[in-house]
Amino acid sequence: SSAPQHSAAAMAEPVAAAPDVETSGLVLSKRKKRKLMAEERKKAGGGGGALLPLGDTARGLVLRVEYDGRLFAGSQKQLDARTVQEELETGFQRLTGEECTAGSSSRTDAGVHALDNVFLIKTKVDAPLATIVAGLNTRLPEDLVVARAAWASEGFDPRKSASGKVYRYSIVTGARQPMQHGKVWHISKPLDVGAMKAAATFLQGSHNFTAFSAAEDRNPSCTIAAVDVDFRPLPGSGDRAGIQIIVRGNRFLYRMVRIIVGTLVEVGMGTREVAAVQAALQDGATRKVAGQTAPASGLTLAEVKYPPGLLMD
């Protein structure tokens, strides 16, 4: 789940500048990016050519992005690490010639996947959304794609404007499923799904989730609409089912979903009482009261929701 929005030692800080990073690395300096864009425009004949045309006024472009998190160091840009933000910014600059910053709705950790992480880029590009999406996807790696795009209304913020998020966590029990490697948490022993469901009911509603956060947060209150635990077919596994935990809420603390899952798994293994989940939600409860942090591999940011009228086709 996403990191708290204030500074925390557990979070990697965004890179403000990379003065002398080699072009062979994953982080390009501003000077090298400008040179690269100028060379592409020159090759295109100086008037834009293959690059998209620019208008006079900047506006907010919203990108709904999917990615396989296995080879990413996370979604937020870091020095000398491959990230979703860096790939998006580099691809967009190669498409338009503009330097840009792609702010996101959620900061996902290394190994976490997404079906709908939302990024906002301020741009002067003057082209249909379909053209932008198609052109950008040709400049992105195979494990990252822009599913769709929209124009943002004035004042839109991909994180602050969100009304809710949906996370999905996938677990395989018993025999390993090689096709799911890096996309699930494999647990060799069976889990008591009935006990996990019973424990999950305590999580619904508005609570203090301090015990379920890996970093301090000034506002630990979150409202969870539902925590659904059940057997479901896993994508790419034919008819073989796994346990999926789907969590819907208005906001999430740093690694909150992974700690929820780790706690429910302990209930399913019989090493934690069902009622202990309720105790972990009491005011004054600390991180030690909740369970383990589930591995990043099984987590997918499935959807980010916004109120009607904020995004325009």
Side-chain angles (χ1 to χ4, degrees):
S1 46
S2 59
Q5 305 311 321
H6 61 279
S7 176
M11 284 170 31
E13 292 295 332
V15 178
D20 289 304
V21 181
E22 294 297 324
T23 53
S24 59
L26 292 170
V27 181
L28 299 175
S29 71
K30 288 185 177 180
R31 180 179 297 177
K32 292 182 183 295
K33 286 177 180 176
R34 283 195 296 267
K35 183 178 179 181
L36 177 61
M37 296 307 108
E39 289 175 351
E40 290 202 16
R41 284 204 179 275
K42 185 176 181 180
K43 290 177 183 178
L51 300 183
L52 296 185
L54 303 180
D56 296 326
T57 305
R59 51 183 172 166
L61 176 66
V62 177
L63 304 175
R64 314 294 292 245
V65 176
E66 300 180 16
Y67 49 87
D68 179 336
R70 287 178 291 182
L71 298 181
F72 286 107
S75 62
Q76 187 179 15
K77 188 157 56 177
Q78 305 169 39
L79 184 62
D80 295 330
R82 181 174 185 256
T83 65
V84 175
Q85 181 183 356
E86 181 68 25
E87 293 282 13
L88 278 175
E89 290 175 357
T90 300
F92 194 79
Q93 288 157 1
R94 289 175 175 164
L95 176 67
T96 67
E98 296 177 293
E99 291 187 5
C100 67
T101 299
S104 70
S105 62
S106 302
R107 301 173 185 173
T108 56
D109 285 338
V112 174
H113 316 288
L115 292 173
D116 185 33
N117 202 348
V118 180
F119 287 79
L120 175 68
I121 291 176
K122 294 292 186 179
T123 176
K124 292 183 178 180
V125 68
D126 185 13
L129 290 170
T131 301
I132 297 171
V133 170
L136 181 53
N137 281 334
T138 64
R139 292 161 172 82
L140 295 177
E142 292 185 350
D143 52 359
L144 171 64
V145 69
V146 176
R148 58 194 189 279
W151 295 113
S153 60
E154 188 69 26
F156 174 82
D157 182 290
R159 177 180 60 84
K160 295 179 181 179
S161 299
S163 59
K165 296 178 183 179
V166 180
Y167 284 92
R168 183 187 71 200
Y169 197 97
S170 300
I171 299 171
V172 166
T173 58
R176 293 192 303 273
Q177 296 187 26
M179 295 300 292
Q180 299 297 328
H181 177 68
K183 298 181 180 179
V184 300
W185 182 8
H186 175 249
I187 299 173
S188 58
K189 298 180 179 180
L191 298 176
D192 184 343
V193 174
M196 294 169 69
K197 286 184 176 183
T201 61
F202 291 119
L203 298 166
Q204 297 181 27
S206 298
H207 301 287
N208 182 335
F209 280 92
T210 296
F212 294 87
S213 177
E216 292 184 7
D217 197 295
R218 290 189 296 268
N219 179 18
S221 177
C222 303
T223 300
I224 300 301
V227 181
D228 183 19
V229 184
D230 216 338
F231 286 99
R232 292 183 180 85
L234 299 175
S237 62
D239 58 356
R240 297 184 66 181
I243 298 172
Q244 286 199 343
I245 301 175
I246 299 175
V247 187
R248 298 175 173 86
N250 68 330
R251 60 187 296 269
F252 294 88
L253 308 180
Y254 184 42
R255 294 186 177 173
M256 177 173 153
V257 174
R258 290 169 59 188
I259 297 171
I260 285 175
V261 171
T263 303
L264 294 179
V265 163
E266 291 178 6
V267 171
M269 295 178 72
T271 59
R272 180 177 293 271
E273 296 292 330
V274 170
V277 175
Q278 185 179 29
L281 295 168
Q282 303 305 308
D283 289 340
T286 65
R287 174 66 188 89
K288 295 180 180 179
V289 179
Q292 63 183 305
T293 302
S297 57
L299 184 62
T300 298
L301 173 59
E303 184 182 4
V304 181
K305 298 183 178 182
Y306 296 98
L310 291 183
L311 304 178
M312 299 165 285
D313 295 333

